[in-house]
Amino acid sequence: MTVLTKTGEGAAALASELARAREVAETVVDPELPMLTLADLGVLRDVALTDGTVVVDITPTYSGCPAMATMRDDLVHALHREGFADVRVRVALSPAWTSDWISERGRAALTEAGISPPGPARREGPVLLALKPARRAIRCPLCASADVELTSEFGSTACKALYRCRACLEPFDHVKEI
Amino acid sequence: MINDADLLVNDAHWAFGTGFEDPLAGVDTTVPEGVDAAGLARCCLMLGDDALVLSQRLSEWCSRAPDLEEDIALSNIALDLLGQARLLLARAAAADPSLVPVLPEDSPVPAEDALAFFRDAGQFRNVVLAELPNGDFAETVTRLLLFSTWRLEVFEQLVTHADTVLAAVAAKGRKELSYHRDFSARWFVTLARGTEESRRRVLTAVDALWPWWSALDVPAEVDVVLEQVFAAARVERPEVPPAEDGGREGGHTAALTDLLADMQSVARAHPRGLW
Ligand SMILES: [Zn+2]
C-alpha cells in the first residue's frame, strides 16, 4: 500500500481518491425506488477516506427499514468493484431522515417515473392532533392537474399514498411527507 | 418438466433477501458516559415490550378488518411498532447483555429474537393495556388511541435522552406515532358520532379499557390531547377505580400467555432455525 502524505502530491492523490469514492457511492440506487440514487434520496450522508478505508455514512428512512441491509451491501459491492478494498458503512440514526432531504433532481426523477414527490414535511415541535386527514396540495405527475383525490393512505409501499387524477383519470403514487 | 430446484424458495423471491439482521448493525452502541446502562436497558425493554405485544395484537387484524383500507392501515401500524420493538430490544440487549435469555452456545438466534421468543410471560415488562385481546374494531381503535397518545408524549420527552441511540429511536418513532394517534382519533370520533350501534360499541370499549388506562402513570400532556378527542366524540371519560397493573414487574393477565404461545411457538419448536 502506498503511504500518502498530506503534503503536495500525496494530498492531491488522496483528494482525488476521495472524489472517486464519492462518485461511486453516489451512483448506488434505492432498492425500492430505483429511479433515485441514495444521494438523491438523502440517505447517503457522508463519504470519507480514513487510513485507506472508505467510510460511508447512511441514515434509514424509517424504523427497522428492511431495505437498509440491501443498501449497505450495494454500497460495499459498488465500491469493491471500483477497486476500493476496505469499505465500512456506518448507520447514523440521528438526525432522523426527512422527505425534505430528497434532492431537486430526485423529485424530478420521481415525477418523470409517474410518482408524485413529497411536499414540505412538518417542522420540529410537538405534533398537533389532526382530526381531519391532511389535505396535500399536489399535482398529477402525468398531466399536472391539481384536481386529484386520495384513494388510500397506503399505496404500493407504506411510504406512499395512492391518488387518482380527476382530469386524466390515471391513478398514481405519492411519496408521503415525513 | 418442473425441476425440484425451481420449487424451492430462494432469496431472489424476496425484495430484501430472507436475512433478518441486527437492526442496529453499523450503529455505535457504546453507552455514553454518565448513563446507567442497566437502567437504560430496563427502560428500553419496557418500551420495546409494549410495542412488540401491541404489534402482535394488531397483526391479528390482518385480512379481518372491516375493509381493505383499514386492514392495510392496521397492518402498517403493527409493522411500525415492530420496527420500534426491534430497535428497542436490540438496544436493551446491547446495553445490558445479562437481560438476554441464555441459549446454547451455537444458537444462531440474535439477541433481539432471544428476548422476543425465549422469555416467558413473567419476564415481559409491557403494560397490561397492550396485551388485552383486541375485542371489536371499536375497542381496537380505542386502545390504539390511548396507547399511541401516551407513547407519542413519552417519545417527545425521550428525544433529548442522553443515550443517543434511544433518542434517535424516539425521534424516528414520534413521526410514526403521530399517524397512529390521528388514525385512531378519527375513527374514535367517527364511530362515537356514527350510528347508535357504533356509539354503543365505543362506549362499551371505553368502559372496558378505562380501569387499565387509569392504572398507568401518564404525563399530564396526554390528558390535554385526549380531552380534545373525547370532546369531539361527545364521550365522557368514566370515573372508575384503576385496575391493578403489575405488567412492569412481570405480572400479566392470561391474555399475554395466550398471545406468547402463538407468537413464540415456531421459534421455540426450531431453536436452531435460520430465517
Ligand atoms: Zn392527470
Side-chain angles (χ1 to χ4, degrees), chain A residues 11 21 32-33 43 55 57 64 66 70 93 112 122 132 138-139:
Chain A
E32 273 187 353
L33 298 165
V43 158
V55 182
D57 286 336
T70 307
L93 294 178
E112 184 69 21
R122 206 188 56 80
K132 288 197 182 118
I138 62 178
R139 285 180 178 279

Side-chain angles (χ1 to χ4, degrees), chain A residues 140 142-145 165 167-170:
Chain A
C140 168
L142 301 150
C143 75
S145 166
C165 174
C168 73
L169 304 180
E170 284 295 322

Side-chain angles (χ1 to χ4, degrees), chain A:
Chain A
M1 195 178 92
T2 323
V3 178
L4 299 170
T5 57
K6 289 207 169 153
T7 51
E9 233 173 80
L14 202 61
S16 94
E17 271 301 89
L18 174 60
R20 200 166 67 83
R22 195 181 296 268
E23 224 167 84
V24 174
E26 282 176 353
T27 59
V28 176
V29 298
D30 178 80
E32 273 187 353
L33 298 165
M35 72 294 290
L36 288 188
T37 64
L38 297 186
D40 285 333
L41 191 58
V43 158
L44 184 71
R45 300 276 286 282
D46 195 28
V47 181
L49 199 55
T50 317
D51 300 328
T53 300
V54 181
V55 182
V56 184
D57 286 336
I58 56 174
T59 190
T61 47
Y62 62 94
S63 297
C65 171
M68 281 317 272
T70 307
M71 292 181 190
R72 258 200 333 266
D73 290 351
D74 290 352
L75 279 164
V76 171
H77 290 153
L79 285 157
H80 279 174
R81 250 195 329 268
E82 293 303 319
F84 296 95
D86 292 321
V87 180
R88 196 151 69 91
V89 180
R90 295 189 303 192
V91 178
L93 294 178
S94 174
W97 182 85
T98 150
S99 50
D100 288 350
W101 293 354
I102 301 178
S103 68
E104 278 312 315
R105 200 177 58 176
R107 285 160 200 272
L110 283 171
T111 310
E112 184 69 21
I115 300 172
S116 153
R122 206 188 56 80
R123 296 279 136 231
E124 292 308 303
V127 193
L128 294 179
L129 176 73
L131 284 175
K132 288 197 182 118
R135 290 283 300 252
R136 304 182 180 95
I138 62 178
R139 285 180 178 279
C140 168
L142 301 150
C143 75
S145 166
D147 188 14
V148 299
E149 63 181 347
L150 177 68
T151 314
S152 164
E153 253 321 291
F154 299 98
S156 57
T157 60
C159 64
K160 299 192 215 95
L162 188 63
Y163 276 80
R164 198 174 68 101
C165 174
R166 286 203 195 91
C168 73
L169 304 180
E170 284 295 322
F172 64 91
D173 265 337
H174 170 75
V175 177
K176 291 190 247 188
E177 297 73 17
I178 67 160

Side-chain angles (χ1 to χ4, degrees), chain A residues 32 60-63 66-67 69-70 72 90-91 93 97 124-133 152-154 158 178, chain B residues 16 21 24-27 69 72-73 76 83 87 156 168 172 174-176 178-179 181-182 185-186 189 228-229 232:
Chain A
E32 273 187 353
T61 47
Y62 62 94
S63 297
T70 307
R72 258 200 333 266
R90 295 189 303 192
V91 178
L93 294 178
W97 182 85
E124 292 308 303
V127 193
L128 294 179
L129 176 73
L131 284 175
K132 288 197 182 118
S152 164
E153 253 321 291
F154 299 98
I178 67 160
Chain B
F16 307 114
E21 51 144 46
L24 289 177
V27 176
E69 173 80 353
I72 298 172
N76 274 294
L87 289 163
E156 297 277 8
K172 206 75 175 157
R174 60 205 280 275
K175 297 181 181 187
E176 298 163 349
S178 61
Y179 168 73
R181 180 196 60 183
D182 292 358
R186 276 171 216 152
V189 173
Q228 293 175 50
V229 182

